[in-house]
Amino acid sequence: MKQLVVFGAGGHAKVVADIASVYYDDISFFVDAKSSDWCLGYPVSDDKEILEQKISEADFFVAIGNAKVRKRITMELSEKGANFATLIHPSAIIGKNVTIGQGTVVMPGAIINAESQIGQGCIINTSSSVDHDCKISNYVHISVGTHLCGTVMVSENTWIGAGATVSNNINICADCMIGAGAVVVKNIEEPGTYVGVPARKIG
């Protein structure tokens, strides 16, 4: 019986568990402090002894939206020997020679085109698209309905907001937040928050 422990029990974790149900027979949630015994019909635990037992028995998926928290928890579990799942919804379209790192989820309706590279712990969210030859670093979130044109590079911990568009041949540095609906037409070389059409730094 294939087991998966989903770390987290919020909205993102529910979607992750829904995708995981295609591949896993036994799914459970783990949280730091539980407010309910059940989530989406699956058991929720905050018992660290049970978590330690699961390390050798189950695969893990860290379903936390915040990139830095997602990375920290992944590193902590990795040091204990956890194995991480990669989850791809059956309706997603994955092109030729695409690589996808451990702990990444590709949501329903997402498209990743040929020769793109997706790092570890990424979220490729619902109906988003990553075109050919893109390089998405670890712990990046490509939000719902976002579109990356060809040969885009996005560095670690960056969040590209819902409905944003990134033009082709653009590089975006680490630790950025691209606002919903923004249009990125030139390289972003300084961490921060960028909004508007075209996208400009604020704050």
Side-chain angles (χ1 to χ4, degrees):
M1 180 178 290
K2 292 187 68 176
Q3 299 181 56
L4 181 71
V5 176
V6 178
F7 204 106
H12 176 53
K14 291 177 184 177
V15 181
V16 165
D18 197 35
I19 296 171
S21 68
V22 176
Y23 307 103
Y24 288 87
D25 307 302
D26 183 345
I27 297 171
S28 59
F29 293 94
F30 182 85
V31 293
D32 287 327
K34 68 178 181 176
S35 58
S36 174
D37 291 331
W38 299 91
C39 178
L40 207 68
Y42 300 116
V44 179
S45 175
D46 58 5
D47 188 327
K48 292 185 178 179
E49 290 186 5
I50 293 177
L51 181 68
E52 295 288 340
Q53 293 172 5
K54 292 282 188 180
I55 292 289
S56 61
E57 301 172 356
D59 293 337
F60 281 76
F61 195 95
V62 181
I64 303 292
N66 183 292
K68 292 183 178 179
V69 175
R70 187 161 72 251
K71 180 179 180 179
R72 176 180 58 79
I73 294 171
T74 299
M75 294 300 100
E76 290 172 356
L77 291 170
S78 182
E79 288 173 2
K80 295 179 180 182
N83 181 65
F84 297 96
T86 299
L87 299 174
I88 302 172
H89 192 274
S91 69
I93 298 173
I94 310 298
K96 195 168 185 178
N97 296 334
V98 168
T99 60
I100 301 174
Q102 284 191 333
T104 286
V105 61
V106 182
M107 299 290 196
I111 300 171
I112 305 174
N113 277 330
E115 300 281 354
S116 286
Q117 301 172 23
I118 311 297
Q120 299 179 2
C122 293
I123 303 168
I124 310 300
N125 222 319
T126 308
S127 298
S128 62
S129 64
V130 177
D131 221 297
H132 65 88
D133 298 292
C134 289
K135 293 183 179 179
I136 310 302
S137 297
N138 298 339
Y139 307 103
V140 167
H141 184 172
I142 306 298
S143 294
V144 173
T146 291
H147 299 295
L148 274 56
C149 297
T151 325
V152 168
M153 295 182 64
V154 183
S155 294
E156 191 166 298
N157 302 330
T158 284
W159 186 322
I160 301 185
T165 300
V166 181
S167 189
N168 58 301
N169 304 314
I170 294 294
N171 295 343
I172 299 176
C173 70
D175 299 309
C176 285
M177 170 94 54
I178 309 300
V183 177
V184 181
V185 296
K186 63 180 182 179
N187 291 346
I188 293 178
E189 300 174 347
E190 183 179 351
T193 299
Y194 294 79
V195 300
V197 182
R200 293 181 174 85
K201 189 178 182 184
I202 62 170

